[in-house]
Amino acid sequence: MTRVFSGIQPTGHLTLGNYLGAMRRWAEVDQHRADSLFCVVDLHALTVEHDPARVRRLSRQAATLLLASGLDPEVCTVFLQSHVDEHARLSYLLECVATDGEMRRMIQYKEKAAKERDRGGSVRLSLLTYPVLMAADILAYGTDEVPVGEDQAQHVELTRDLAVRFNQRYGHTFVVPRATLPQVAARVMNLKDPTLKMGKSDDSGAGVVYLLDEPEDVRKKVMRAVTDSGREVGYDREDRPGVSNLLDILAACTGGNPESLAGVYDSYGALKKDTAEAVVEVLRPVRARHRELCADPAYVEEVLRDGAEKARALARPTVDAAYRAMGLLPPVAEPPTSAVR
């Protein structure tokens, strides 16, 4: 059976972009067609300046929202990255295979490092090497497919390169995975600046719809979305990014086609109104299920504990094999205890 792995970082409150670009597909498609693992990659949240209490809070919230989006622990595996030691164990081995040049070519590293420097902060080494940890996340499980957004496709290509290089140098150990991209709304953009991704870490939040936003807040944000010059509603991501973003969101929420939907509207106002209502309705069941899960924290903890145990059992044989392949001696077994006479 095809194995799927994907993860989400607890670096901010999850957004409509996270849901339409990834989480909904995981729940509606991937968990049912494959042996699927979905992970809150909390170790990745440590690569930048952070508040430990906030990371813990957002990690729990992210796990709860994954379940609220429809992931079923009876069908797939849901867990926290830091609960499975094999991620960190394998990451170091892959650092010994990756090169400095490969890390510095990563687009996200360049962007995040520049942002950190602009703030007057220092760039952590883990920010440079985190694509290797991401590769370890994927390769530890013999993953065949990695459903990701467009912005993460480069990291999956690096993962493929590292897997091939490791296999050639040390013997076949890893499955070489491939990225799979959603067809619609692969990258939902910021409502205030449609040239930017709708990211969790947006400072103002004015252009970001969060999954737990109240319906009235969702409506206000969509109705205040930036559009383009002119009055004609048309789909053109390059020249008309604002309207095209709204059409992408509406299409993703309703199952329509953004280019076809453009012909339905003769005003921005009508498009915004329908998009706002479509978003509210898409998020309504997620918010309701989230409330139910928050009322039963013991259930969420049980899901994460069981998920980590399953993930650990899957990853350990592969990671142990990688250790042996690279020349590391296995731990010496304890001698059996003699029976007491």
Side-chain angles (χ1 to χ4, degrees), residues 145-182:
E145 296 181 8
V146 189
V148 292
E150 294 171 355
D151 59 322
Q152 292 292 333
Q154 186 187 33
H155 290 156
V156 180
E157 284 305 309
L158 173 69
T159 301
R160 291 171 54 84
D161 291 343
L162 294 180
V164 169
R165 190 178 306 155
F166 190 104
N167 290 345
Q168 290 175 342
R169 290 182 181 176
Y170 304 110
H172 185 80
T173 306
F174 299 119
V175 173
V176 180
R178 61 186 178 276
T180 56
L181 303 175

Side-chain angles (χ1 to χ4, degrees), residues 42-307:
D42 49 349
L43 293 176
H44 289 292
L46 311 185
T47 60
V48 294
E49 188 67 30
H50 63 276
D51 172 23
R54 186 170 187 264
V55 171
R56 286 190 290 269
R57 184 171 66 253
L58 291 177
S59 295
R60 176 180 288 276
Q61 184 184 90
T64 305
L65 280 168
L66 287 178
L67 298 174
S69 72
L71 293 184
D72 183 352
E74 297 297 321
V75 175
C76 65
T77 304
V78 181
F79 64 103
L80 294 185
Q81 178 191 32
S82 63
H83 292 179
V84 181
D85 293 344
E86 278 64 31
H87 291 255
R89 289 180 62 208
L90 181 55
S91 182
Y92 180 73
L93 296 192
L94 295 179
E95 285 185 13
C96 297
V97 176
T99 68
D100 176 75
E102 285 175 317
M103 297 300 98
R104 296 188 187 279
R105 284 195 296 270
M106 293 290 107
I107 295 171
Q108 286 211 345
Y109 168 72
K110 294 178 181 179
E111 292 176 348
K112 291 183 178 181
K115 185 176 180 180
E116 194 65 30
R117 292 190 188 101
D118 290 343
R119 293 171 50 189
S122 57
V123 180
R124 301 185 180 196
L125 178 61
S126 56
L127 183 62
L128 178 66
T129 60
Y130 104 90
V132 178
L133 176 57
M134 180 176 171
D137 299 336
I138 296 166
L139 297 179
Y141 297 101
T143 303
D144 298 295
E145 296 181 8
V146 189
V148 292
E150 294 171 355
D151 59 322
Q152 292 292 333
Q154 186 187 33
H155 290 156
V156 180
E157 284 305 309
L158 173 69
T159 301
R160 291 171 54 84
D161 291 343
L162 294 180
V164 169
R165 190 178 306 155
F166 190 104
N167 290 345
Q168 290 175 342
R169 290 182 181 176
Y170 304 110
H172 185 80
T173 306
F174 299 119
V175 173
V176 180
R178 61 186 178 276
T180 56
L181 303 175
Q183 293 181 341
V184 178
R187 202 173 191 195
V188 177
M189 310 306 281
N190 189 293
L191 296 174
K192 286 297 185 183
D193 185 352
T195 65
L196 300 176
K197 177 184 173 184
M198 186 181 283
K200 299 186 292 294
S201 56
D202 181 90
D203 293 332
S204 69
V208 179
V209 174
Y210 298 105
L211 297 188
L212 297 180
D213 275 347
E214 294 292 336
E216 194 52 41
D217 291 331
V218 173
R219 294 186 180 97
K220 286 179 181 177
K221 289 180 179 181
V222 176
M223 294 304 295
R224 294 172 181 171
V226 167
T227 50
D228 310 295
S229 59
R231 296 185 177 182
E232 183 180 350
V233 177
Y235 186 77
D236 186 334
R237 270 187 170 271
E238 192 71 27
D239 295 328
R240 314 195 71 181
V243 172
S244 297
N245 187 39
L246 291 172
L247 288 166
D248 273 334
I249 292 171
L250 179 60
C253 290
T254 62
N257 176 279
E259 295 180 348
S260 300
L261 286 169
V264 175
Y265 295 95
D266 56 12
S267 73
Y268 293 156
L271 171 61
K272 287 182 176 182
K273 184 176 183 298
D274 283 0
T275 302
E277 293 307 317
V279 172
V280 168
E281 288 308 309
V282 159
L283 296 185
R284 192 183 303 280
V286 178
R287 287 168 40 81
R289 180 59 177 152
H290 179 265
R291 285 194 297 271
E292 293 175 0
L293 291 167
C294 285
D296 189 6
Y299 170 74
V300 176
E301 291 175 1
E302 181 183 5
V303 167
L304 295 178
R305 183 172 59 250
D306 292 348

